[in-house]
Amino acid sequence: MTVQIRVSGLGGSLAEIRAENAWTVCDVKQAIEKSLKIPMHEQRLFVESAEIYDEEFLSAYRRASDALEGGDFTIEMSLVRRPREEAAWVKVVTQNAQWLRKAPQHIQENREIVLVAMRQEGCLLKFLSQLQRSDRRVVLQAVRQNGLALQFAAKELRSDREIVLAAVLQNGKALLHGASEFRSNRQTVLAAVSTHGSCLHCVSADLQNDREIVLAAIHDDGAALAFASSALRADREVVHAAVKRHGLALKWASDTLRADRELALDAVRQNGQAWDAVDEHLRTDREVRTAAAMSIKRQTPGWNDE
């Protein structure tokens, strides 16, 4: 599928570019630079009256009225060149976002330059004005680059569902910085524990008893079993998944499952130190003892089996 892009300026048509559906706006700017010799950092592109940004995909701007035969479509874009000083700072900040901290006040308050900086280093949000930290688009861009930037957002934006979800998708630990109600939100919690299983410790009791969420957390970090409900710590499939990832998780299993021979073997094979969590009735089992001893040897620096 191809996309025909018609680029116009104040004086009329400037260029026609043949693009691919998978292109981003950044790709379009590169093509414009090649065709019109206008550097990317000097370009601002608009569809109708709305500015479009580098990370956005062209497919987002497809309309039914744009469709051509065969599924191809066209997009009408307007090109505006940035003022010289703004363009210079966009180039500088693109190369090193930290320069924003040393920029003149009026540059630090320039939304377009700030957005460029947030694409490079989201946690620079910490050093911006309260006005900028209350700007939804600035904050959304920051957390997409670094989810932990959520902690520097204005309070009202830490209650914004789209922003919090974007943050935890980038870094699950961002859940700790969102409003407390998100710790009971299933979609947000699932996104968080899928990348940082240890976040299970701060979610609601109901979700600590949610099998899908606990399994997602364990898949990232077997030790997350410690924060699962007692019912799930007695679930053999859940515990098995945990000890395969992290043998020491056996210590958080129910008493019945700590006495399960197969689970004990898997745990000590993964980490010999899990021997301490094995039920006393299995400690006389020769295979379990041997598996634990061999695992400890393998984990000893300099050991080899030659």
Side-chain angles (χ1 to χ4, degrees):
M1 183 182 295
T2 59
V3 185
Q4 190 72 19
I5 298 173
R6 296 173 182 158
V7 182
S8 301
L10 293 176
S13 178
L14 295 174
E16 290 196 8
I17 295 170
R18 192 173 181 83
E20 298 294 331
N21 190 49
W23 276 25
T24 63
V25 174
C26 183
D27 294 321
V28 176
K29 288 183 177 180
Q30 289 176 344
I32 291 174
E33 179 173 344
K34 183 177 180 179
S35 175
L36 301 177
K37 310 305 179 187
I38 300 174
M40 288 178 62
H41 62 273
E42 294 184 14
Q43 300 176 33
R44 293 180 69 185
L45 292 176
F46 295 80
V47 172
E48 296 179 346
S49 59
E51 183 166 10
I52 59 178
Y53 297 92
D54 288 4
E55 71 279 3
E56 296 176 313
F57 287 94
L58 295 185
S59 55
Y61 295 95
R62 182 179 184 180
R63 302 178 305 180
S65 59
D66 293 327
L68 299 174
E69 185 177 354
D72 297 345
F73 61 101
T74 61
I75 304 177
E76 301 282 349
M77 293 187 183
S78 299
L79 171 63
V80 175
R81 295 186 74 158
R82 299 181 188 276
R84 183 174 299 177
E85 182 187 30
E86 181 179 303
W89 274 103
V90 166
K91 184 176 182 179
V92 167
V93 170
T94 298
Q95 294 171 343
N96 187 343
Q98 287 288 339
W99 277 103
L100 182 66
R101 296 178 62 186
K102 301 178 181 180
Q105 188 66 31
H106 72 283
I107 295 297
Q108 292 184 8
E109 293 173 356
N110 183 303
R111 189 172 189 249
E112 303 309 315
I113 295 173
V114 168
L115 284 169
V116 171
M118 293 304 99
R119 292 187 194 105
Q120 311 298 320
E121 196 167 336
C123 279
L124 281 175
L125 187 66
K126 175 181 180 180
F127 303 103
L128 300 183
S129 67
Q130 183 63 29
L131 181 64
Q132 299 278 26
R133 289 186 282 118
S134 300
D135 185 315
R136 192 174 186 279
R137 181 160 188 86
V138 168
V139 172
L140 190 57
Q141 189 62 63
V143 301
R144 283 173 175 166
Q145 195 282 323
N146 187 330
L148 296 181
L150 182 64
Q151 64 191 293
F152 307 120
K155 183 178 180 180
E156 64 271 17
L157 293 184
R158 285 185 270 121
S159 295
D160 184 299
R161 183 176 179 276
E162 182 183 2
I163 287 175
V164 174
L165 184 57
V168 300
L169 283 170
Q170 200 287 319
N171 188 320
K173 291 183 178 179
L175 183 65
L176 298 171
H177 304 298
S180 59
E181 63 259 29
F182 290 106
R183 301 180 190 185
S184 300
N185 181 281
R186 193 175 189 280
Q187 181 185 15
T188 308
V189 168
L190 186 57
V193 301
S194 294
T195 58
H196 283 84
S198 62
C199 289
L200 189 65
H201 84 277
C202 70
V203 311
S204 67
D206 284 347
L207 295 183
Q208 289 176 336
N209 192 44
D210 185 304
R211 200 165 187 272
E212 182 183 2
I213 284 176
V214 171
L215 282 171
I218 285 170
H219 181 74
D220 175 72
D221 181 358
L225 183 66
F227 311 115
S229 68
S230 57
L232 290 179
R233 285 187 277 115
D235 183 311
R236 193 177 189 282
E237 182 183 351
V238 171
V239 172
H240 193 209
V243 300
K244 291 286 282 186
R245 299 283 294 178
H246 184 72
L248 294 177
L250 185 66
K251 66 182 177 181
W252 295 299
S254 67
D255 290 345
T256 299
L257 293 183
R258 287 194 301 107
D260 184 302
R261 186 174 185 274
E262 182 183 353
L263 291 179
L265 277 169
D266 281 339
V268 298
R269 284 168 179 160
Q270 200 284 324
N271 189 323
Q273 299 299 328
W275 171 257
D276 293 335
V278 173
D279 183 85
E280 60 181 15
H281 294 99
L282 289 176
R283 294 190 176 212
T284 58
D285 186 300
R286 183 174 181 178
E287 186 177 359
V288 175
R289 292 174 62 90
T290 301
M294 290 300 297
S295 181
I296 290 172
K297 284 183 179 179
R298 286 195 300 271
Q299 292 161 4
T300 301
W303 180 86
N304 64 69
D305 58 359
E306 294 180 355

